[in-house]
Amino acid sequence: MPDTTFGPKGWTPERLGDLQGKTYLVTGANAGAGFQAARTLLNKRAKVVMLNRSSEKSQSAVEELKTEFGVDADVSFVRMDLASLTSVREGAAEVLKTVKRIDALICNAAIAQVPTQMLTEDGFESMLCTNHYGHFLLCGLLFNPIEAAKGRIVVVSSLGYNMGIKTIQFDDMNWDKNYHQNRTYSQSKLAQMMFAYELQDRLAAAGKTEVEVYVCHPGSSRTSLITTSGNMATRIMFWLMSLSPMVQSAEKGAWPEVMCATEDGLEQRALYGPTGRMEFVGPVGKGTLHPHAYDKAVMERLWELSEEATGFAWAL
Protein backbone atom coordinates (compact mmCIF):
# COMPACT_ATOMS: atom_id res chain seq x y z
CA MET A 1 0.00 0.00 0.00
CA PRO A 2 1.36 3.45 -0.91
CA ASP A 3 2.27 5.69 2.03
CA THR A 4 -0.54 8.16 2.74
CA THR A 5 1.11 9.97 5.65
CA PHE A 6 1.11 13.23 3.73
CA GLY A 7 -2.24 12.75 2.00
CA PRO A 8 -3.02 11.68 -1.58
CA LYS A 9 -0.58 14.18 -3.10
CA GLY A 10 2.27 13.04 -0.85
CA TRP A 11 4.89 15.38 0.54
CA THR A 12 5.31 18.65 -1.37
CA PRO A 13 7.32 21.82 -0.65
CA GLU A 14 4.07 23.48 0.42
CA ARG A 15 4.73 21.86 3.82
CA LEU A 16 7.90 23.89 4.30
CA GLY A 17 7.88 26.79 6.71
CA ASP A 18 10.33 29.67 6.93
CA LEU A 19 13.86 28.24 6.96
CA GLN A 20 15.70 31.45 7.74
CA GLY A 21 18.61 30.68 10.08
CA LYS A 22 18.96 27.14 8.78
CA THR A 23 22.00 26.03 6.77
CA TYR A 24 21.97 23.19 4.27
CA LEU A 25 24.95 21.66 2.48
CA VAL A 26 24.23 19.88 -0.80
CA THR A 27 26.76 17.89 -2.80
CA GLY A 28 26.41 18.00 -6.57
CA ALA A 29 24.13 21.03 -6.46
CA ASN A 30 25.03 22.85 -9.66
CA ALA A 31 22.58 20.83 -11.78
CA GLY A 32 19.74 18.33 -11.64
CA ALA A 33 18.00 17.36 -8.41
CA GLY A 34 20.71 18.95 -6.28
CA PHE A 35 20.21 22.32 -7.96
CA GLN A 36 16.45 22.01 -7.58
CA ALA A 37 16.86 21.15 -3.90
CA ALA A 38 18.95 24.30 -3.47
CA ARG A 39 16.24 26.33 -5.22
CA THR A 40 13.52 24.94 -2.99
CA LEU A 41 15.48 25.65 0.19
CA LEU A 42 16.49 29.15 -0.90
CA ASN A 43 12.87 29.91 -1.71
CA LYS A 44 12.20 29.45 2.02
CA ARG A 45 15.12 31.75 2.96
CA ALA A 46 17.58 29.05 4.01
CA LYS A 47 21.34 29.35 3.61
CA VAL A 48 22.66 26.87 1.02
CA VAL A 49 26.27 25.85 0.51
CA MET A 50 26.88 23.79 -2.61
CA LEU A 51 29.74 21.29 -2.64
CA ASN A 52 30.61 20.80 -6.29
CA ARG A 53 33.47 19.57 -8.44
CA SER A 54 33.37 22.37 -11.04
CA SER A 55 34.05 25.92 -9.90
CA GLU A 56 32.88 27.32 -13.23
CA LYS A 57 29.53 25.50 -13.15
CA SER A 58 29.13 26.36 -9.48
CA GLN A 59 29.61 30.07 -10.14
CA SER A 60 27.04 29.90 -12.94
CA ALA A 61 24.59 28.14 -10.63
CA VAL A 62 25.11 30.76 -7.91
CA GLU A 63 24.51 33.56 -10.42
CA GLU A 64 21.34 31.87 -11.68
CA LEU A 65 19.99 31.44 -8.17
CA LYS A 66 20.78 35.01 -7.21
CA THR A 67 19.04 36.19 -10.36
CA GLU A 68 15.95 34.26 -9.30
CA PHE A 69 15.94 35.01 -5.57
CA GLY A 70 17.84 38.29 -5.39
CA VAL A 71 21.41 39.31 -4.75
CA ASP A 72 20.93 38.79 -1.02
CA ALA A 73 20.12 35.10 -1.45
CA ASP A 74 22.50 33.25 0.86
CA VAL A 75 24.01 30.75 -1.55
CA SER A 76 27.66 29.90 -2.08
CA PHE A 77 29.86 26.99 -3.04
CA VAL A 78 32.94 25.14 -1.90
CA ARG A 79 34.88 23.19 -4.49
CA MET A 80 34.96 19.47 -3.72
CA ASP A 81 35.58 16.46 -5.93
CA LEU A 82 34.16 13.38 -4.22
CA ALA A 83 36.33 11.17 -6.43
CA SER A 84 39.41 12.55 -4.66
CA LEU A 85 39.82 11.92 -0.94
CA THR A 86 42.32 14.79 -0.82
CA SER A 87 39.76 17.12 -2.35
CA VAL A 88 37.11 15.95 0.13
CA ARG A 89 39.45 16.72 3.02
CA GLU A 90 40.35 20.13 1.62
CA GLY A 91 36.72 20.99 0.94
CA ALA A 92 35.61 19.84 4.39
CA ALA A 93 38.35 21.96 5.98
CA GLU A 94 37.05 24.99 4.07
CA VAL A 95 33.51 24.26 5.25
CA LEU A 96 34.65 23.98 8.86
CA LYS A 97 36.35 27.38 8.57
CA THR A 98 33.54 29.23 6.83
CA VAL A 99 30.19 27.62 7.77
CA LYS A 100 28.90 28.28 11.28
CA ARG A 101 26.25 25.53 11.47
CA ILE A 102 25.01 22.57 9.46
CA ASP A 103 21.34 21.69 9.83
CA ALA A 104 21.57 19.03 7.15
CA LEU A 105 24.20 17.59 4.86
CA ILE A 106 22.48 16.27 1.74
CA CYS A 107 24.64 13.66 -0.01
CA ASN A 108 23.15 14.17 -3.45
CA ALA A 109 26.10 13.96 -5.88
CA ALA A 110 26.64 10.80 -7.90
CA ILE A 111 27.97 9.40 -11.12
CA ALA A 112 26.24 6.54 -12.89
CA GLN A 113 26.67 3.90 -15.56
CA VAL A 114 30.33 4.64 -16.28
CA PRO A 115 30.75 2.44 -19.40
CA THR A 116 34.23 1.08 -18.70
CA GLN A 117 36.11 0.65 -15.45
CA MET A 118 37.80 3.84 -14.28
CA LEU A 119 39.96 4.12 -11.18
CA THR A 120 40.32 7.28 -9.10
CA GLU A 121 43.62 8.84 -8.08
CA ASP A 122 43.31 6.85 -4.84
CA GLY A 123 42.93 3.57 -6.76
CA PHE A 124 39.19 3.01 -6.25
CA GLU A 125 36.50 2.19 -8.80
CA SER A 126 35.10 5.59 -9.75
CA MET A 127 31.40 5.08 -8.90
CA LEU A 128 32.15 3.44 -5.56
CA CYS A 129 34.50 6.26 -4.60
CA THR A 130 32.34 9.16 -5.79
CA ASN A 131 29.05 7.81 -4.53
CA HIS A 132 30.13 6.07 -1.33
CA TYR A 133 33.71 6.57 -0.10
CA GLY A 134 33.69 10.32 -0.75
CA HIS A 135 30.43 10.83 1.13
CA PHE A 136 31.48 8.44 3.92
CA LEU A 137 34.57 10.58 4.53
CA LEU A 138 32.72 13.88 4.14
CA CYS A 139 30.03 12.95 6.66
CA GLY A 140 32.68 11.91 9.15
CA LEU A 141 34.71 15.09 8.74
CA LEU A 142 31.62 17.30 9.17
CA PHE A 143 29.88 15.25 11.85
CA ASN A 144 30.79 17.50 14.80
CA PRO A 145 29.02 20.64 13.49
CA ILE A 146 26.08 18.51 12.36
CA GLU A 147 25.84 17.08 15.87
CA ALA A 148 26.19 20.53 17.43
CA ALA A 149 23.19 21.72 15.39
CA LYS A 150 21.23 18.54 16.14
CA GLY A 151 21.21 18.18 12.40
CA ARG A 152 20.69 15.54 9.78
CA ILE A 153 22.53 13.50 7.20
CA VAL A 154 20.52 12.72 4.09
CA VAL A 155 21.80 10.03 1.74
CA VAL A 156 20.36 10.15 -1.76
CA SER A 157 20.48 6.64 -3.14
CA SER A 158 18.72 5.02 -6.10
CA LEU A 159 16.32 2.21 -6.85
CA GLY A 160 19.36 0.73 -8.54
CA TYR A 161 20.38 -0.64 -5.12
CA ASN A 162 17.86 -3.42 -5.78
CA MET A 163 18.97 -4.19 -9.34
CA GLY A 164 22.46 -5.59 -8.90
CA ILE A 165 23.92 -8.49 -6.94
CA LYS A 166 22.18 -7.19 -3.78
CA THR A 167 25.27 -7.42 -1.60
CA ILE A 168 28.81 -6.08 -1.50
CA GLN A 169 31.43 -7.84 -3.58
CA PHE A 170 34.09 -7.77 -0.88
CA ASP A 171 36.55 -10.00 -2.72
CA ASP A 172 36.74 -7.55 -5.64
CA MET A 173 35.58 -4.07 -4.63
CA ASN A 174 36.89 -2.51 -7.83
CA TRP A 175 35.17 -5.11 -10.01
CA ASP A 176 38.43 -5.92 -11.80
CA LYS A 177 37.11 -9.29 -12.91
CA ASN A 178 33.48 -8.59 -13.76
CA TYR A 179 33.02 -4.84 -14.22
CA HIS A 180 29.55 -3.96 -15.43
CA GLN A 181 28.25 -0.40 -15.71
CA ASN A 182 24.90 -1.24 -14.14
CA ARG A 183 25.78 -3.83 -11.51
CA THR A 184 28.81 -1.88 -10.34
CA TYR A 185 26.69 1.28 -10.07
CA SER A 186 24.07 -0.67 -8.13
CA GLN A 187 26.69 -1.76 -5.60
CA SER A 188 27.79 1.85 -5.08
CA LYS A 189 24.22 2.91 -4.30
CA LEU A 190 23.68 -0.08 -2.01
CA ALA A 191 26.90 0.84 -0.21
CA GLN A 192 25.56 4.35 0.40
CA MET A 193 22.41 2.97 1.97
CA MET A 194 24.31 0.51 4.12
CA PHE A 195 26.50 3.34 5.38
CA ALA A 196 23.43 5.31 6.39
CA TYR A 197 21.69 2.44 8.16
CA GLU A 198 24.86 1.37 9.95
CA LEU A 199 25.41 4.98 11.02
CA GLN A 200 21.89 4.98 12.46
CA ASP A 201 22.78 1.91 14.52
CA ARG A 202 26.07 3.37 15.73
CA LEU A 203 24.49 6.67 16.71
CA ALA A 204 21.81 4.83 18.66
CA ALA A 205 24.42 2.71 20.43
CA ALA A 206 26.38 5.85 21.33
CA GLY A 207 23.26 7.62 22.59
CA LYS A 208 23.58 10.30 19.92
CA THR A 209 19.98 10.09 18.78
CA GLU A 210 19.61 13.83 18.17
CA VAL A 211 21.45 13.39 14.86
CA GLU A 212 19.02 11.91 12.34
CA VAL A 213 20.02 9.95 9.24
CA TYR A 214 17.66 9.42 6.33
CA VAL A 215 17.80 7.63 2.98
CA CYS A 216 15.84 8.64 -0.07
CA HIS A 217 15.88 8.37 -3.86
CA PRO A 218 14.63 10.67 -6.64
CA GLY A 219 12.75 8.05 -8.62
CA SER A 220 13.08 8.40 -12.36
CA SER A 221 13.88 12.05 -12.98
CA ARG A 222 15.09 14.19 -15.87
CA THR A 223 18.58 15.07 -14.71
CA SER A 224 22.05 15.18 -16.27
CA LEU A 225 23.26 12.16 -14.28
CA ILE A 226 23.27 9.70 -17.17
CA THR A 227 24.33 12.23 -19.79
CA THR A 228 27.45 13.12 -17.85
CA SER A 229 28.80 9.60 -17.39
CA GLY A 230 26.83 7.00 -19.37
CA ASN A 231 27.77 5.69 -22.80
CA MET A 232 25.91 6.66 -25.97
CA ALA A 233 23.50 3.70 -25.92
CA THR A 234 22.58 4.44 -22.29
CA ARG A 235 22.08 8.12 -23.07
CA ILE A 236 19.79 7.34 -26.00
CA MET A 237 17.78 4.86 -23.96
CA PHE A 238 17.34 7.33 -21.12
CA TRP A 239 16.38 10.11 -23.55
CA LEU A 240 13.64 7.91 -24.96
CA MET A 241 12.48 7.07 -21.42
CA SER A 242 12.40 10.76 -20.55
CA LEU A 243 9.64 11.26 -23.08
CA SER A 244 7.36 8.86 -21.21
CA PRO A 245 5.14 9.53 -18.18
CA MET A 246 7.42 7.19 -16.21
CA VAL A 247 9.94 10.02 -15.83
CA GLN A 248 9.32 13.15 -13.77
CA SER A 249 11.00 16.53 -13.57
CA ALA A 250 14.25 17.16 -11.71
CA GLU A 251 12.29 19.49 -9.44
CA LYS A 252 10.02 16.66 -8.28
CA GLY A 253 13.04 14.38 -8.08
CA ALA A 254 14.46 16.77 -5.47
CA TRP A 255 11.44 16.64 -3.20
CA PRO A 256 12.45 13.46 -1.29
CA GLU A 257 15.82 14.90 -0.28
CA VAL A 258 14.32 18.23 0.74
CA MET A 259 11.69 16.37 2.76
CA CYS A 260 14.33 14.27 4.51
CA ALA A 261 16.32 17.42 5.32
CA THR A 262 13.39 19.32 6.82
CA GLU A 263 10.33 17.25 7.74
CA ASP A 264 9.80 16.20 11.35
CA GLY A 265 8.57 12.78 12.44
CA LEU A 266 10.09 10.68 9.68
CA GLU A 267 11.11 7.07 10.25
CA GLN A 268 14.84 6.53 9.96
CA ARG A 269 14.96 2.87 8.93
CA ALA A 270 13.11 3.62 5.71
CA LEU A 271 13.53 4.58 2.07
CA TYR A 272 11.71 7.72 0.95
CA GLY A 273 10.84 8.63 -2.60
CA PRO A 274 8.03 8.48 -5.16
CA THR A 275 5.30 5.98 -4.27
CA GLY A 276 3.50 5.75 -7.61
CA ARG A 277 4.00 3.29 -10.44
CA MET A 278 7.06 1.11 -9.79
CA GLU A 279 8.06 3.86 -7.34
CA PHE A 280 9.57 5.71 -10.32
CA VAL A 281 7.13 8.63 -10.09
CA GLY A 282 4.18 9.78 -8.02
CA PRO A 283 3.48 11.19 -4.56
CA VAL A 284 6.49 11.37 -2.25
CA GLY A 285 6.41 9.24 0.87
CA LYS A 286 7.84 6.07 2.40
CA GLY A 287 8.51 3.44 -0.23
CA THR A 288 9.66 -0.17 -0.29
CA LEU A 289 12.88 -1.01 1.55
CA HIS A 290 14.28 -4.46 0.82
CA PRO A 291 16.05 -6.25 3.69
CA HIS A 292 19.34 -6.77 1.90
CA ALA A 293 19.91 -3.02 2.23
CA TYR A 294 20.37 -3.39 5.99
CA ASP A 295 22.02 -6.81 6.29
CA LYS A 296 23.85 -6.23 9.56
CA ALA A 297 26.89 -8.40 8.94
CA VAL A 298 27.46 -6.82 5.54
CA MET A 299 26.95 -3.30 6.88
CA GLU A 300 29.50 -3.79 9.64
CA ARG A 301 32.08 -5.25 7.27
CA LEU A 302 31.53 -2.44 4.75
CA TRP A 303 31.94 0.17 7.50
CA GLU A 304 35.28 -1.29 8.56
CA LEU A 305 36.45 -1.51 4.97
CA SER A 306 35.34 2.07 4.30
CA GLU A 307 37.27 3.38 7.29
CA GLU A 308 40.36 1.57 6.02
CA ALA A 309 39.90 2.78 2.43
CA THR A 310 39.39 6.43 3.40
CA GLY A 311 41.89 6.48 6.24
CA PHE A 312 39.22 7.93 8.50
CA ALA A 313 38.00 6.34 11.72
CA TRP A 314 34.68 7.65 12.99
CA ALA A 315 34.68 8.57 16.70
CA LEU A 316 31.14 8.18 18.00
Side-chain angles (χ1 to χ4, degrees), residues 133 136 202 302-315:
Y133 287 149
F136 179 92
R202 291 178 181 239
L302 176 64
W303 185 282
E304 293 170 0
L305 185 150
S306 300
E307 286 194 332
E308 181 181 348
T310 60
F312 180 84
W314 280 67

Side-chain angles (χ1 to χ4, degrees), residues 226-254:
I226 300 297
T227 59
T228 55
S229 53
N231 61 20
M232 184 58 69
T234 302
R235 295 179 192 183
I236 292 173
M237 180 181 69
F238 194 81
W239 176 77
L240 291 172
M241 284 179 58
S242 72
L243 302 177
S244 80
M246 290 298 291
V247 178
Q248 62 189 2
S249 67
E251 181 180 6
K252 287 187 176 180

Side-chain angles (χ1 to χ4, degrees), residues 19-26 41 45-50 74 76 95 98-106 145-146 149 151-152 261:
L19 297 176
Q20 188 173 29
K22 301 282 189 179
T23 301
Y24 299 93
L25 274 60
V26 187
L41 294 165
R45 302 201 299 169
K47 173 185 176 70
V48 175
V49 181
M50 304 186 293
D74 201 346
S76 60
V95 169
T98 59
V99 178
K100 294 182 179 180
R101 62 177 291 140
I102 303 174
D103 291 279
L105 169 58
I106 303 176
I146 295 171
R152 305 182 184 192

Side-chain angles (χ1 to χ4, degrees), residues 153-274:
I153 292 172
V154 179
V155 171
V156 182
S157 188
S158 161
L159 290 177
Y161 88 97
N162 196 42
M163 299 176 187
I165 62 173
K166 301 183 181 181
T167 190
I168 303 299
Q169 186 173 276
F170 288 112
D171 62 341
D172 185 5
M173 293 294 288
N174 282 346
W175 293 66
D176 293 325
K177 299 175 182 177
N178 58 340
Y179 183 87
H180 186 278
Q181 63 177 16
N182 293 324
R183 289 191 292 272
T184 307
Y185 167 71
S186 295
Q187 177 175 262
S188 74
K189 303 308 284 186
L190 175 61
Q192 283 188 275
M193 295 174 70
M194 288 187 159
F195 155 60
Y197 297 135
E198 178 64 13
L199 179 56
Q200 290 172 358
D201 289 352
R202 291 178 181 239
L203 289 172
K208 299 189 176 187
T209 55
E210 291 180 326
V211 177
E212 298 173 346
V213 183
Y214 297 105
V215 181
C216 64
H217 71 91
S220 182
S221 305
R222 296 183 186 93
T223 71
S224 60
L225 179 60
I226 300 297
T227 59
T228 55
S229 53
N231 61 20
M232 184 58 69
T234 302
R235 295 179 192 183
I236 292 173
M237 180 181 69
F238 194 81
W239 176 77
L240 291 172
M241 284 179 58
S242 72
L243 302 177
S244 80
M246 290 298 291
V247 178
Q248 62 189 2
S249 67
E251 181 180 6
K252 287 187 176 180
W255 289 0
E257 60 191 79
V258 175
M259 177 186 75
C260 287
T262 60
E263 183 71 32
D264 291 330
L266 298 179
E267 181 181 340
Q268 291 195 77
R269 193 63 122 231
L271 177 61
Y272 290 95

Side-chain angles (χ1 to χ4, degrees), residues 97-144:
K97 285 194 300 183
T98 59
V99 178
K100 294 182 179 180
R101 62 177 291 140
I102 303 174
D103 291 279
L105 169 58
I106 303 176
C107 301
N108 166 84
I111 58 174
Q113 278 79 38
V114 176
T116 57
Q117 185 196 47
M118 294 183 62
L119 300 181
T120 68
E121 63 185 42
D122 300 292
F124 304 122
E125 189 280 314
S126 61
M127 291 185 284
L128 181 65
C129 186
T130 302
N131 301 348
H132 170 56
Y133 287 149
H135 281 125
F136 179 92
L137 175 60
L138 177 64
C139 291
L141 291 170
L142 298 183
F143 181 78
N144 285 344

